[in-house]
Amino acid sequence: MRRTNKQKRAVVLKISVCGVISALSYCLLAIGSIVEIFDFSVVVIASVGVVFCVVEMGYSYAALTCAVTSLISFLLLPASRFPALVYMLFGGIYPIIKSLAEKTKKPISILLKFLFSNASAALIWIITSWIMPETEHIGKLMLVTFVLLMNFAFWLYDVFITRIVTMYLYKWRRQLNIKDFDKL
């Protein structure tokens, strides 16, 4: 099947937009790497680019953006690699998981999202404990507190992403006069 020039332009435009979003996300993660107070905040903000890719271009381009940003961040972050780890295992991929999970019934959707969140947090905890063995002595009370706070923060993040998508679809997309990428 041959692609027309219009289809080729649409693919080139999508890849270009993914590249720009990846570059902006890397810049945010670099700020979080240097100023470690912002490491979780920049992951949340950088994930908004993947949200845009899911809404406008689909899952494959969103996964491409997430993969490129994760790879570049692991290779080039100036200080701590922790924001890249959190972005790769949670923040970058969560908008894709959220979109897929919300195609199911609401209770199942909520369960799937919280399972993903807790599995990601456990994996991040295991990796950071392996890389930084001094964190192994943290007590069970601290671990329980971490899990409770992490689930609350995840719930806030999920609400934030939902609100961003709603505002984008019903307000910002029209104000910015964004057209469908395939119809350009």
Side-chain angles (χ1 to χ4, degrees):
M1 180 170 111
R2 288 190 69 144
R3 291 186 176 176
T4 64
N5 284 338
K6 194 174 189 179
Q7 290 171 327
K8 289 178 186 177
R9 279 194 310 261
V11 169
V12 169
L13 179 64
K14 288 177 183 179
I15 291 173
S16 301
V17 169
C18 289
V20 170
I21 290 172
S22 294
L24 289 172
S25 297
Y26 167 76
C27 291
L28 288 168
L29 293 173
I31 291 169
S33 173
I34 295 167
V35 184
E36 292 184 5
I37 293 173
F38 299 130
D39 53 3
F40 287 108
S41 304
V42 296
V43 169
V44 167
I45 296 168
S47 70
V48 173
V50 179
V51 170
F52 174 79
C53 290
V54 168
V55 170
E56 289 296 335
M57 296 177 272
Y59 300 117
S60 59
Y61 288 98
L64 174 69
T65 303
C66 177
V68 167
T69 304
S70 298
L71 179 65
I72 289 172
S73 297
F74 266 112
L75 293 175
L76 300 177
L77 279 182
S80 169
R81 301 284 191 269
F82 186 71
L85 178 70
V86 174
Y87 182 84
M88 181 183 79
L89 296 177
F90 178 70
I93 196 140
Y94 179 70
I96 300 168
I97 299 295
K98 176 179 174 59
S99 178
L100 291 171
E102 288 182 349
K103 291 183 178 183
T104 63
K105 293 182 181 180
K106 188 149 185 136
I108 295 171
S109 169
I110 293 169
L111 177 67
L112 289 173
K113 291 188 288 187
F114 272 95
L115 282 174
F116 171 77
S117 169
N118 286 301
S120 295
L123 191 56
I124 291 168
W125 182 278
I126 290 167
I127 291 172
T128 54
S129 295
W130 178 62
I131 294 172
M132 300 178 291
E134 64 270 7
T135 60
E136 288 181 1
H137 71 280
I138 295 176
K140 294 189 187 323
L141 180 62
M142 183 70 155
L143 183 59
V144 170
T145 305
F146 168 75
V147 169
L148 291 174
L149 289 174
M150 186 272 315
N151 279 304
F152 179 70
F154 167 72
W155 175 73
L156 290 175
Y157 174 63
D158 187 58
V159 169
F160 169 74
I161 294 294
T162 302
R163 299 277 169 101
I164 289 290
V165 169
T166 304
M167 297 259 313
Y168 174 73
L169 287 175
Y170 294 108
K171 189 173 184 181
W172 298 335
R173 191 171 196 252
R174 188 174 46 244
Q175 287 177 345
L176 295 172
N177 199 19
I178 296 177
K179 307 284 189 230
D180 189 10
F181 282 95
D182 293 325
K183 295 180 182 175
L184 291 175

